[in-house]
Amino acid sequence: MNRPTQRACALLVLVASALCPAQVVRPLDEPEPAPAMIDAPPTARAVVQLLAAPYLTDEERASLRVEHGLWTRADVLNPRHAARAALIDGRLDAPALSSPEADPLDRAEGMARRGEFRAALSALEGDPSIRAMRLRAEAHEALGEHALADAAVDPVVTALTGRTTSDADEIVDGVLALMVRTRLRGPSAAADAGADYRTMLQLLGEAHQKIDRVNWRARLVEARLLAEKSNPGEARDAILEALKLNPRIADAWTLLGQLAIDSFAFPEAEAIAGTIGALAPGSPDAAILRARARLRQNDPDGAWSIIEPALGRFPDHRELRAVEAAIVASWFDAERLSETLAAFDERNGTEGSPDALLEVGIRLAEARQYAEGTKYLRLAIDRAPNRADGWTELGLMELQAGRDSASLDALRRAAALDPFNTRVTNTLKLVEEMIAWPTIESEHFVIRYQPGIDEVLAREMPRTLERIHDDVAGAFDHEPGFRTTIDLMPDHAAFAVRITGIPRLHTVAAATGPAIAMESPQRGPGFSIGYYDWARTLQHEYAHTVTLSRTHNRIPHWFTEAAAVWAEAGPRASSWWDLLSRRFREGTLFSLDEISVKFVRPDGPDDRTLAYAQGHWMYEFMVERWGPRAPLELMDRYASGEREASAMEAVLGVPPEIFTAAFMRWAEGELRERGLLLPDGVPGLETLVLREAVNAQLAEARVEQMTDLSAAGGIDALTQSFDSLERAWTNATQPTRAQLDRWLARYPGHPDVLLALIATELRLNDGEATPDLVPLLEQYAEARPEDPLPHRTLARLALEGRLPGGAEAALSDLEFLSEREMYTPAYARALAERYAELGDLDRAGAEAEHAVGIAPFDAETREFAARVAIQAQHWDDAERHLLALTGIEPDRDIHQRRLDRLREMRK
């Protein structure tokens, strides 16, 4: 189909849609939307070659097709093949898995995966195979029968150490049995705790490298081991290798999904769950992934809506039941949680299993319920003291809670049990270093820093932090019952390990309740963004500490972020205004139901930023409409465990949907007031441009031919009209100065037209601003007061001496820019220089301090601040900056000499 005919047909579709709005007009060749899924990697060449081998019998070929996930319908007519296929895909309640013709071991494994451990043990009785021994060990472990589980592993160890097997699958089953023993006993050799791990990897390597290069189970178990050691990159590679050998392995997809959740890649996890669901509709594995993803996003109700039907289908599934307990814990219903955990223990006799307790402890730690998290993690450890995962989670949680000694004890125990876990080893190394770091204490804070250059900033922090405490505690009418620890981390990797246990994180500061960690605001290798306004950043983070304390860590995600941005008490960034106005016009602002999710599960590249900006905007609306006490009363209701909708209706008198509608009306007025939304009846610039261009084109077009679509030549007329409109739009992209002047006369103060006039003048002058542009810049600044463009341009003209008024000419524009700048000291310093020229040394000193607050380790900024302080006779400030310079540039003797002279002068 040629392009004109395509355009004409597209218009016909639009016309048909307009005439028949109830119908969906879809081109015949467009596929129906498919569920979110991820494609498997291409099948390995070795598998293809094996299946094509001429020496195979038909039955052998069919069996191999099943084993590698490439079966045909005819293959699975065989009940034995059908059962094996169901086990691979994760169709645990498939009738084939209950068929007497199925392999007894497949049938028993299906029982165990459904949580029917007693039945599985009965089915396995008397079977001497390594696979049967492994299944028996796993079943006894699941039931909490640790002595029986350990005994079941003994003959497997004998077989592996005696090298009595050379079958790859038997080796894999043997490694799985060894993993059970490691969880039960801990390392077999105290002097070399990593020996077991190395042995298992060696066995698996032999299985898939020397014995059977197409054995996907060896690759999958290798991936499990790597994931357990917090090595997600290599684990993912091993999973993909397994999927090349069999694209339908539900266990491989599930592990891949869990890795995605652990890295907060929630869209990927959802897509993987879709893949699993396509393999096995109603899969418990898919339900578990989706529910865990919802829990990570603090959405227990959404998690329950997923888990509840899965429990109806698989009532004994142990992992489903553990996730159920985590959901109940997220509701902060202690009585129901106790009942749920008791039911987990009673079901199938799993009184000794730590799994539900561990799941609950991890979830409570994520929710920053540190006391309750500690309780359940220790209960899990009591049941399985040689499992490293309980100690690991406890150590990481205690660090976030600011209990360093307890963290150190738990992490050391975890490292002794599992020395190859990178999160543990990274965090333990850091905590052992941090324990020895010096501290500086003030009334409400303990500042901890690595000896060296960071002492420069650490010495200066108490005064600023106490001011932040007064502001934030006053704003939220609450003072935490503890001193907050501020960990000043020496680089980004150390900061990231401090927060997550891995050396990468997409921020520079984070609050975990009683502790706040921040990356040192320095430039150079090892630092993520360089300079930043550390005081404003910590004011945001300390607001989290205060609101989390007031609500007992029970606060909707959007609300704590909104309160933290509000507590910064600075103007909203112009980029946020642009984003808010665009999404308002598009109708894509978030509802209350979805905004919290967007912080951790954004669908688009700007969704997370929008969640921050819109949340702050809604908080601002709440304060303006209901007063500053309203958010505080909501916090108190959240602290009691009340849900958001109920709390909002009780405090604000309206349900969430009415709040949102009222906010949208208020937001519209806010945008109009700032020139970001045009008044009713005033067209936008694109409309003005296109209207004029279309009118010119249509004057030449044979429009009368469009009156009868059925007439001969109708398609040609449509095509010509489309061409006319395309030409109109192409020719309309550069309005002339005369057009813009005419539109501005008709719509005075039109911000889009003013901006286009400024752009036109700059283009005509090779991008250089001149004083002749000042009237337009001032008009535009008044029409759209949040745009920094006119202020930057006017400030530059003034600083270049091209405007009358001298130093005073730049003040208001530099103040606008300095107040909003977070990452460079340039505006604050320029403003300080202008104030100093005018003799206003107090204001000059304040702006010099602002510049130092952004770049505390920049020697030039420090020297400037010291000069201003000396001019203003602010001797304490001058001495502080000179002392800082001796640490920033210790090899320059002049700093010490200046400091000595100042101190001598002050005697």
Side-chain angles (χ1 to χ4, degrees):
M1 187 182 291
N2 60 39
R3 188 163 170 267
T5 307
Q6 285 178 323
R7 290 197 302 270
C9 289
L11 182 60
L12 288 172
V13 169
L14 292 174
V15 171
S17 299
L19 294 174
C20 308
Q23 296 179 349
V24 178
V25 180
R26 187 190 301 277
L28 294 177
D29 59 350
E30 181 181 322
E32 290 294 320
M37 287 189 288
I38 291 182
D39 292 333
T43 301
R45 185 178 180 185
V47 172
V48 175
Q49 290 174 336
L50 175 62
L51 292 174
Y55 55 79
L56 294 175
T57 66
D58 290 344
E59 172 57 25
E60 288 171 335
R61 204 181 312 278
S63 181
L64 283 170
R65 280 197 296 264
V66 170
E67 192 59 29
H68 291 283
L70 301 171
W71 58 79
T72 65
R73 287 186 182 181
D75 293 335
V76 293
L77 292 176
N78 179 320
R80 194 177 185 89
H81 291 335
R84 183 66 183 158
L87 202 58
I88 290 170
D89 293 307
R91 289 177 286 117
L92 301 183
D93 56 355
L97 275 174
S98 301
S99 169
E101 297 180 69
D103 182 327
L105 288 173
D106 285 342
R107 195 165 61 243
E109 187 154 350
M111 294 172 188
R113 292 194 185 188
R114 292 192 298 269
E116 301 162 8
F117 300 112
R118 298 292 178 198
L121 287 169
S122 295
L124 292 166
E125 193 171 346
D127 190 325
S129 68
I130 290 180
R131 184 181 176 192
M133 295 179 217
R134 183 266 294 180
L135 288 171
R136 275 197 291 272
E138 290 175 343
H140 284 304
E141 182 190 23
L143 292 167
E145 298 168 348
H146 295 168
L148 292 173
D150 192 38
V153 179
D154 283 337
V156 179
V157 174
T158 300
L160 290 177
T161 56
R163 299 287 177 166
T164 59
T165 179
S166 59
D167 180 86
D169 280 327
E170 287 190 346
I171 290 174
V172 172
D173 284 314
V175 169
L176 289 168
L178 289 178
M179 291 169 70
V180 172
R181 170 151 290 180
T182 301
R183 290 192 293 270
L184 297 175
R185 290 189 180 183
S188 59
D192 186 3
D196 293 339
Y197 174 61
R198 290 194 297 271
T199 297
M200 288 187 279
L201 281 184
Q202 180 184 352
L203 288 169
L204 292 170
E206 289 180 7
H208 67 70
Q209 290 296 325
K210 296 180 179 179
I211 300 173
D212 183 356
R213 298 183 70 85
V214 295
N215 188 287
W216 56 264
R217 294 183 68 236
R219 284 292 196 182
L220 177 58
V221 175
E222 187 176 77
R224 278 184 55 184
L225 275 173
L226 291 164
E228 286 179 4
K229 308 307 174 190
S230 296
N231 190 342
E234 290 188 31
R236 185 183 180 92
D237 291 343
I239 292 168
L240 295 177
E241 288 300 317
L243 290 171
K244 289 178 183 178
L245 302 171
N246 182 338
R248 303 179 68 95
I249 317 166
D251 287 350
W253 288 110
T254 301
L255 181 55
L256 194 63
Q258 188 58 53
L259 292 176
I261 292 170
D262 291 342
S263 63
F264 296 92
F266 298 116
E268 181 183 349
E270 184 67 30
I272 290 169
T275 298
I276 297 168
L279 295 172
S283 163
D285 294 327
I288 288 166
L289 283 180
R290 289 188 167 115
R292 281 183 174 152
R294 299 300 187 277
L295 285 176
R296 275 289 179 93
Q297 297 159 76
N298 200 26
D299 180 15
D301 292 344
W304 177 247
S305 69
I306 293 165
I307 285 291
E308 186 179 22
L311 284 170
R313 188 167 174 180
F314 299 97
D316 295 319
H317 196 288
R318 190 166 52 114
E319 203 168 357
L320 281 173
R321 289 292 175 189
V323 173
E324 176 194 19
I327 292 169
V328 175
S330 301
W331 287 329
F332 308 122
D333 186 337
E335 184 177 351
R336 184 171 175 184
L337 176 58
S338 179
E339 293 170 354
T340 303
L341 288 170
F344 179 91
D345 282 348
E346 291 167 9
R347 185 176 295 275
N348 223 344
T350 56
E351 292 86 350
S353 170
D355 293 346
L357 293 167
L358 185 61
E359 193 95 25
V360 167
I362 292 171
R363 173 61 198 138
L364 290 171
E366 289 172 352
R368 294 171 177 162
Q369 302 295 303
Y370 298 129
E372 288 295 291
T374 298
K375 170 186 171 181
Y376 287 104
L377 287 173
R378 288 211 170 269
L379 286 172
I381 288 169
D382 288 344
R383 291 189 176 187
N386 291 320
R387 275 182 60 165
D389 48 1
W391 291 105
T392 297
E393 297 298 337
L394 180 63
L396 295 171
M397 188 206 68
E398 294 288 17
L399 181 59
Q400 305 315 317
R403 299 190 285 259
D404 297 341
S405 179
S407 172
L408 190 60
D409 290 343
L411 289 171
R412 282 174 173 166
R413 179 63 176 155
L417 293 169
D418 186 1
F420 284 92
N421 187 305
T422 55
R423 287 183 76 198
V424 171
T425 54
N426 287 341
T427 309
L428 177 59
K429 179 182 177 183
L430 181 64
V431 174
E432 287 178 333
E433 292 175 1
M434 289 172 59
I435 287 286
W437 286 359
T439 60
I440 297 172
E441 299 187 7
S442 66
E443 183 179 358
H444 298 99
F445 298 92
V446 176
I447 302 145
R448 182 164 52 181
Y449 61 94
Q450 185 183 63
I453 192 172
D454 284 331
E455 185 179 357
V456 169
L457 179 56
R459 282 195 305 253
E460 298 181 340
M461 293 178 81
R463 182 177 65 172
T464 300
L465 287 171
E466 290 300 330
R467 188 269 302 163
I468 288 172
H469 168 79
D470 292 343
D471 291 348
V472 174
F476 297 115
D477 193 19
H478 178 78
E479 187 165 313
F482 49 81
R483 283 199 296 183
T484 302
T485 297
I486 308 294
D487 284 328
L488 178 56
M489 307 308 295
D491 54 35
H492 180 73
F495 162 71
V497 169
R498 167 67 180 79
I499 296 300
T500 66
I502 55 177
R504 295 172 301 280
L505 193 64
H506 300 296
T507 186
V508 293
T512 59
I516 298 172
M518 61 174 282
E519 177 183 330
S520 184
Q522 300 182 51
R523 282 182 175 170
F527 298 97
S528 59
I529 62 172
Y531 299 152
Y532 66 92
D533 189 336
W534 68 266
R536 182 169 176 176
T537 300
L538 281 189
Q539 186 143 334
H540 177 108
E541 298 304 331
Y542 189 59
H544 285 312
T545 294
V546 173
T547 56
L548 289 169
S549 172
R550 179 168 181 142
T551 61
H552 309 313
N553 295 344
R554 300 171 181 177
I555 183 171
H557 195 152
W558 82 267
F559 200 64
T560 187
E561 293 296 353
V565 177
W566 184 77
E568 292 177 33
R572 184 173 287 114
S574 61
S575 59
W576 281 21
W577 277 117
D578 292 341
L579 177 60
L580 289 167
S581 63
R582 174 172 62 80
R583 296 292 285 264
F584 182 91
R585 291 192 301 271
E586 294 170 352
T588 56
L589 290 178
F590 300 135
S591 69
L592 272 177
D593 289 337
E594 60 184 349
I595 187 169
S596 285
V597 172
K598 298 303 179 183
F599 284 97
V600 288
R601 195 179 68 186
D603 293 324
D606 57 11
D607 276 3
R608 184 179 285 110
T609 302
L610 178 63
Y612 278 99
Q614 184 184 331
H616 174 218
W617 213 17
M618 291 195 297
Y619 194 99
E620 187 179 4
F621 165 65
M622 189 182 295
V623 170
E624 183 175 310
R625 177 67 59 88
W626 285 277
R629 292 294 309 175
L632 307 185
E633 292 174 19
L634 280 173
M635 290 181 194
D636 291 340
R637 288 181 173 270
Y638 298 144
S640 69
E642 189 170 351
R643 303 290 182 84
E644 184 174 36
S646 170
M648 187 170 283
E649 192 152 6
V651 173
L652 307 183
V654 295
E657 59 272 16
I658 300 300
F659 170 85
T660 302
F663 163 71
M664 291 296 182
R665 291 192 295 272
W666 175 85
E668 181 177 357
E670 288 278 293
L671 294 173
R672 291 194 192 282
E673 183 180 329
R674 288 164 176 78
L676 296 167
L677 195 66
L678 297 172
D680 290 335
V682 176
L685 181 64
E686 286 186 359
T687 302
L688 289 169
V689 171
L690 187 58
R691 181 186 294 170
E692 187 150 326
V694 167
N695 286 339
Q697 289 292 334
L698 291 181
E700 303 173 6
R702 292 178 295 168
V703 182
E704 66 277 3
Q705 293 185 40
M706 297 182 63
T707 58
D708 185 0
L709 292 178
S710 63
I715 292 294
D716 289 339
L718 286 172
T719 300
Q720 291 170 16
S721 299
F722 268 108
D723 288 338
S724 295
L725 292 175
E726 282 189 293
R727 286 196 304 275
W729 179 246
T730 301
N731 296 334
T733 54
Q734 298 290 342
T736 65
R737 175 65 193 257
Q739 288 174 318
L740 292 168
D741 286 339
R742 186 169 70 252
W743 295 336
L744 188 61
R746 184 171 180 181
Y747 304 105
H750 194 304
D752 295 339
V753 175
L754 285 166
L755 183 59
L757 279 165
I758 292 169
T760 298
E761 290 299 310
L762 288 172
R763 187 170 59 252
L764 294 173
N765 202 42
D766 295 326
E768 287 294 318
T770 67
D772 293 338
L773 199 58
V774 169
L776 280 176
L777 291 168
E778 291 176 340
Q779 288 181 69
Y780 180 62
E782 183 178 354
R784 188 166 284 161
E786 300 298 337
D787 193 333
L789 181 144
H791 301 285
R792 282 199 297 263
T793 309
L794 288 166
R796 186 167 61 252
L797 287 170
L799 293 175
E800 291 171 351
R802 301 168 70 187
L803 298 182
E808 198 167 354
L811 289 181
S812 62
D813 296 301
L814 285 174
E815 284 170 352
F816 177 97
L817 297 166
S818 177
E819 192 177 20
R820 288 160 174 76
E821 183 53 55
M822 288 279 290
Y823 302 106
T824 173
Y827 294 129
R829 179 171 172 177
L831 185 55
E833 289 170 346
R834 302 290 84 70
Y835 278 130
E837 286 179 30
L838 295 168
D840 191 342
L841 295 177
D842 286 340
R843 288 189 178 180
E847 285 301 323
E849 292 295 334
H850 183 193
V852 168
I854 295 174
F857 298 99
D858 181 66
E860 187 177 341
T861 300
R862 285 282 187 174
E863 287 184 345
F864 170 75
R867 287 197 302 273
V868 172
I870 290 170
Q871 285 180 275
Q873 298 184 10
H874 295 163
W875 306 120
D876 289 344
D877 290 336
E879 184 170 339
R880 176 166 52 85
H881 293 308
L882 290 174
L883 178 61
L885 282 163
T886 65
I888 295 168
E889 294 183 331
D891 54 337
R892 293 191 65 195
D893 295 340
I894 190 171
H895 299 316
Q896 187 63 51
R897 293 199 301 271
R898 287 172 176 168
L899 178 61
D900 292 341
R901 284 200 299 271
L902 178 65
R903 286 173 171 170
E904 184 66 28
M905 182 184 70
R906 296 187 67 187
K907 286 182 179 179

